[in-house]
Amino acid sequence: MHGSSPSGCCGSDVKQYVYGGWAWAWWCITDTQRISLEIMTLQPRCEDVETAEGVALTVTGVAQVKIMTEKELLAVACEQFLGKNVQDVKNVVLQTLEGHLRSILGTLTVEQIYQDRDQFAKLVREVAAPDVGRMGIEILSFTIKDVYDKVDYLSSLGKTQTAAVRRDADIGVAEAERDAGIREAECKKEMLDVKFMADTKIADSRRAFELQKAAFTEEVNIKTAEAQLAYELQSAREQQKIRQEEIEIEVVQRKKQIDVEEKEIIRKEKELIATVKRPAEAEAYRIQQIAEGEKVRRVLLAQAEAEKIRKIGEAEAFVIEAIGMAEAERMKLKAEALQSYGEAAQLALVLDALPEIAAKVAAPLSRVDEIVVLSGESGNVTSEVNRLLAEIPASVRAITGVDLTKIPLIQKATGAQA
């Protein structure tokens, strides 16, 4: 892709090339143009071009080309082909390739062109690459597709070559048959020699085998007799060992039988212990555990009862203490209130309490029908009345918390009586 901005007050004449991406373009200001970077396939063709020997040939090739993407070469290609379509680009490159193909055909012989097409195509590509490269074009590949002529030169060349090949083939066949016969005779001779040597070696081997076999037989017989004697001797020794081992086995069996009997006695003892002694011990242990459990239960019940009594006592003590503290606080507050009263208020409070005092004093007397004062002297009656009056302040203080002895009026009354 090729984009440029026009010069003037709106921009500058700066060209920007973007390959495989994107860029910003100002609408109505920036000029953007595109050029294809895809691979282009060309088929250059040269008809009736004379070779170095004057033979007219028609050659057709196939080329793959594309515009190079390097920045400098891309700029060159844009300068050459920007604004043209793909077909125009193909025509330019095709004419260039055909010109180089034609010039190279005039320097080669028919045999060089026909027999080594790859070298011919390589030569064309190397010669044409600099020219198309200056246009920003890269030749990816170039091959020769077809070569032919109108005077049957190539077919004649092929016939000559075919005849030479056939001649060489016939000669080769004759020489091969001759060599084969000679080689066959040599092989038969070598085969007979090898067979004779093999038969000789077989006879020698058979004779050596028979001699060795006889020696082995004699040695085997000797060894067999020695082995038989040794076997009988060893058999007697083995019988003796077997008898000794049988005696030892009997001793071991007797010991094992004794061990079994002893273990049976122990088993019976354990069985008696398990069936008689253990159950009795278990029953005694069960009874003991029951007694201990009952003992523990009673102890725990006694402890629980004691804890209950202690808790109840603590609760009652706490209640009594709380009541006492509340009563003390009440009396304290009452006393503080009385101290703040005047004499008239205190006297009014006393007078209000006197009916209750009188009722409590007279309560026992309400159950008495008649009171008889026994006194020999009238002064004693007066003294008894004075004594009762003296006890009234103490009673009022106990009931109301007011100390009447501190009231001036009462003080005067009690003082006068005294």
Side-chain angles (χ1 to χ4, degrees):
M1 177 184 292
H2 170 227
S4 63
S5 297
S7 60
C9 62
C10 296
S12 61
D13 191 12
V14 177
K15 298 178 180 179
Q16 182 181 4
Y17 301 94
V18 180
Y19 162 64
W22 60 276
W24 292 102
W26 294 97
W27 182 65
C28 294
I29 296 176
T30 305
D31 180 22
T32 59
Q33 298 183 21
R34 291 178 174 82
I35 186 170
S36 176
L37 301 180
E38 64 183 3
I39 297 175
M40 295 174 285
T41 302
L42 306 177
Q43 292 188 358
R45 179 182 175 87
C46 295
E47 295 184 358
D48 300 331
V49 178
E50 292 185 356
T51 62
E53 296 175 345
V55 179
L57 293 179
T58 298
V59 179
T60 303
V62 177
Q64 305 290 339
V65 300
K66 69 181 294 291
I67 294 175
M68 289 184 281
T69 57
E70 288 79 0
K71 186 173 182 181
E72 295 80 5
L73 299 174
L74 181 60
V76 172
C78 289
E79 292 177 0
Q80 298 290 333
F81 302 110
L82 199 62
K84 298 181 179 180
N85 57 29
V86 177
Q87 189 59 43
D88 294 337
V89 178
K90 287 184 176 181
N91 291 334
V92 173
V93 179
L94 182 61
Q95 291 176 8
T96 303
L97 290 176
E98 287 179 348
H100 285 291
L101 181 59
R102 188 180 297 274
S103 63
I104 293 172
L105 282 173
T107 62
L108 300 176
T109 63
V110 177
E111 287 79 4
Q112 290 175 334
I113 297 170
Y114 186 76
Q115 294 176 358
D116 196 355
R117 295 188 181 188
D118 292 339
Q119 184 63 28
F120 173 46
K122 181 180 179 182
L123 182 61
V124 174
R125 186 168 60 250
E126 291 176 352
V127 173
D131 288 344
V132 297
R134 283 190 287 270
M135 294 184 288
I137 304 296
E138 178 184 8
I139 300 176
L140 300 177
S141 67
F142 182 85
T143 57
I144 301 301
K145 181 179 179 182
D146 190 18
V147 178
Y148 69 92
D149 66 305
K150 298 179 180 179
V151 295
D152 295 334
Y153 182 87
L154 293 174
S155 61
S156 300
L157 184 63
K159 292 179 180 179
T160 303
Q161 184 66 25
T162 303
V165 170
R166 288 181 178 175
R167 180 198 61 200
D168 294 340
D170 293 338
I171 294 172
V173 170
E175 290 178 350
E177 290 178 352
R178 180 199 61 194
D179 295 340
I182 296 171
R183 185 58 184 165
E184 184 180 0
E186 291 176 352
C187 289
K188 287 182 178 180
K189 179 177 179 300
E190 291 176 359
M191 181 189 67
L192 292 174
D193 293 340
V194 170
K195 185 175 181 302
F196 174 73
M197 293 176 64
D199 293 340
T200 302
K201 288 182 178 181
I202 290 171
D204 291 340
S205 298
R206 184 177 291 109
R207 180 177 58 81
F209 170 73
E210 293 296 337
L211 292 175
Q212 191 68 28
K213 183 179 179 182
F216 287 162
T217 302
E218 181 180 0
E219 186 176 356
V220 166
N221 292 333
I222 294 172
K223 294 296 182 180
T224 301
E226 293 176 354
Q228 183 66 27
L229 181 61
Y231 171 75
E232 293 176 356
L233 180 61
Q234 188 64 27
S235 177
R237 292 175 180 174
E238 292 297 329
Q239 291 294 332
Q240 185 178 1
K241 288 182 180 180
I242 290 171
R243 181 54 186 163
Q244 291 178 355
E245 290 179 357
E246 287 178 351
I247 295 172
E248 292 177 358
I249 290 171
E250 291 177 357
V251 172
V252 171
Q253 290 178 349
R254 182 57 182 164
K255 289 181 179 180
K256 288 183 178 180
Q257 185 176 0
I258 294 170
D259 292 339
V260 170
E261 292 175 354
E262 291 177 352
K263 290 180 179 180
E264 180 65 19
I265 294 170
I266 294 171
R267 188 190 66 79
K268 289 183 178 180
E269 291 178 355
K270 290 182 178 180
E271 183 179 358
L272 291 174
I273 291 172
T275 56
V276 178
K277 184 178 180 181
R278 295 301 183 190
E281 291 178 352
E283 182 65 19
Y285 179 75
R286 186 181 67 81
I287 295 171
Q288 181 182 359
Q289 292 298 318
I290 291 173
E292 290 180 357
E294 182 66 20
K295 176 183 177 182
V296 171
R297 186 182 69 81
R298 292 180 179 179
V299 170
L300 292 176
L301 288 175
Q303 291 177 353
E305 186 66 22
E307 183 68 15
K308 174 183 176 183
I309 294 170
R310 187 179 66 81
K311 293 291 184 181
I312 292 172
E314 290 178 355
E316 291 177 350
F318 179 76
V319 171
I320 294 170
E321 182 182 1
I323 293 172
M325 291 177 67
E327 185 66 23
E329 184 67 19
R330 185 181 68 81
M331 296 298 292
K332 179 182 178 183
L333 294 174
K334 189 173 182 181
E336 292 177 354
L338 290 173
Q339 289 177 1
S340 64
Y341 290 170
E343 292 182 359
Q346 293 179 0
L347 181 57
L349 183 62
V350 171
L351 294 177
D352 291 337
L354 284 177
E356 182 180 355
I357 295 170
K360 291 185 178 181
V361 172
L365 297 178
S366 63
R367 295 188 294 273
V368 177
D369 296 331
E370 183 180 6
I371 299 175
V372 178
V373 179
L374 296 177
S375 174
E377 298 178 359
S378 60
N380 291 334
V381 175
T382 304
S383 63
E384 289 296 328
V385 173
N386 291 334
R387 184 178 61 80
L388 291 174
L389 292 173
E391 291 178 355
I392 289 174
S395 300
V396 171
R397 184 177 183 181
I399 296 171
T400 64
V402 178
D403 190 0
L404 297 178
T405 60
K406 294 182 180 180
I407 299 174
L409 182 61
I410 302 301
Q411 288 178 351
K412 290 178 182 180
T414 55
Q417 293 175 359

